[in-house]
Amino acid sequence: MPDSIYFDREGRVQVPSGEIGVVDRVDIADGYIGPADWPTVGSVLTVVSGGYAGRQLRLSTRPSHLEEARFRATRDQLAANEAEAGTRNS
């Protein structure tokens, strides 16, 4: 989950690879927040990718999406560690 730079009120965000993605206003928080509570331009955000809509990279800052991504990353890392340990012990 990269830290990314939030560019503008249009939701454009640059991820570490340099690619520009978009955080739709419904993917800023788990519940409704008004424009006054949106991240300020230039703030650093933690985002996860929701994939592509056409050629547009879709991103989310929803806490529930971030938590799910952390869970999956941890699970995948544990599985990789177990597989590596099994390979070494064979």
Side-chain angles (χ1 to χ4, degrees):
M1 284 171 297
D3 290 330
S4 303
I5 303 299
Y6 184 74
F7 274 117
D8 57 28
R9 291 287 183 192
E10 300 301 317
R12 289 187 292 248
V13 174
Q14 184 174 20
V15 297
S17 69
E19 188 171 6
I20 304 295
V22 173
V23 176
D24 190 277
R25 66 178 173 257
V26 299
D27 287 326
I28 293 174
D30 286 320
Y32 173 80
I33 61 171
D37 296 319
W38 292 355
T40 58
V41 172
S43 59
V44 176
L45 307 173
T46 299
V47 299
V48 294
S49 172
Y52 288 85
R55 293 179 19 195
Q56 182 65 64
L57 175 63
R58 307 300 296 182
L59 303 169
S60 174
T61 62
R62 284 184 177 203
S64 61
H65 292 169
L66 298 175
E67 185 60 32
E68 181 179 352
R70 286 184 187 106
F71 171 79
R72 289 177 182 222
T74 300
R75 181 194 63 199
D76 293 349
Q77 185 60 54
L78 289 173
N81 292 347
E82 289 175 3
E84 184 178 326
T87 301
R88 282 184 280 169
N89 294 332
S90 299

